[in-house]
Amino acid sequence: MTGRDWVAWAKPGVFLLCLLPLALTLAQGLGGGLALGANPVETLLHRSGLWTLRMLLLTLALTPLSRALGRPWPIRLRRMLGLFAFFYGMLHLLVYLWLDRALDWPVIVEDLTERPYIIVGMVALVLMSVLALTSTRGWQRRLRRNWKRLHRVVYLIAVLGVLHFLWLVKADLREPLIYAVILGVLLALRLPWGRWRRAWTQSVQSVQSAPAVARRSASSSR
């Protein structure tokens, strides 16, 4: 079975796994009681935000995974996971606007002016909307080389997502810091370490060979 065939078989399973957090939350909510805690709206906000960030990080992890395996198949799952990150982000926004703020627009505007973490989150969601809209092959053909440049904004979105989480938490920063470290590792893996190492090796070799070149030049001039 080729990598393309494997992805074709795996995609439905990955799709269902991505829906599992939502399905479990809905089952808990419909079950009644205190399955979602004493404050269900806060639980829904927290879970939808967490899964937005997790899907973003999983999306960013696929390229390093592809390089490590030497196989292209993880890249073929990237669009699906990116769209699920957008999906959970929109759920997060919906819970905030509808359940948490009851569509009270003066209160929402006040939040935007007084709570920086909400501004950061909104900016991230707007950028995610642009990437989701332009994720199709049609937009790839229209934008050509600019498509890849545009979709590098996903790194900024992930940074904004972690920043939103860090600013939201007022006491225990351990959980958002874990996501910050994971993001830092994923961004570090994107750096061109091999290219820098080759450039460094070439510069060291040129410095080491400089005295020998100078000696040869001096001897030839005599």
Side-chain angles (χ1 to χ4, degrees), residues 21 24-26 28 35-37 42-52 54 88 92:
L24 292 175
T25 301
L26 287 176
Q28 287 180 319
L36 293 178
E42 184 177 342
T43 300
L44 291 174
L45 269 174
H46 184 67
R47 287 189 186 179
S48 57
L50 274 184
W51 279 105
T52 303
R54 287 169 180 169
Y88 280 105
H92 187 62

Side-chain angles (χ1 to χ4, degrees), residues 11-21 80 84:
K11 271 189 174 181
V14 174
F15 185 89
L16 292 175
L17 282 175
C18 291
L19 283 176
L20 187 59
M80 181 190 292
F84 265 108

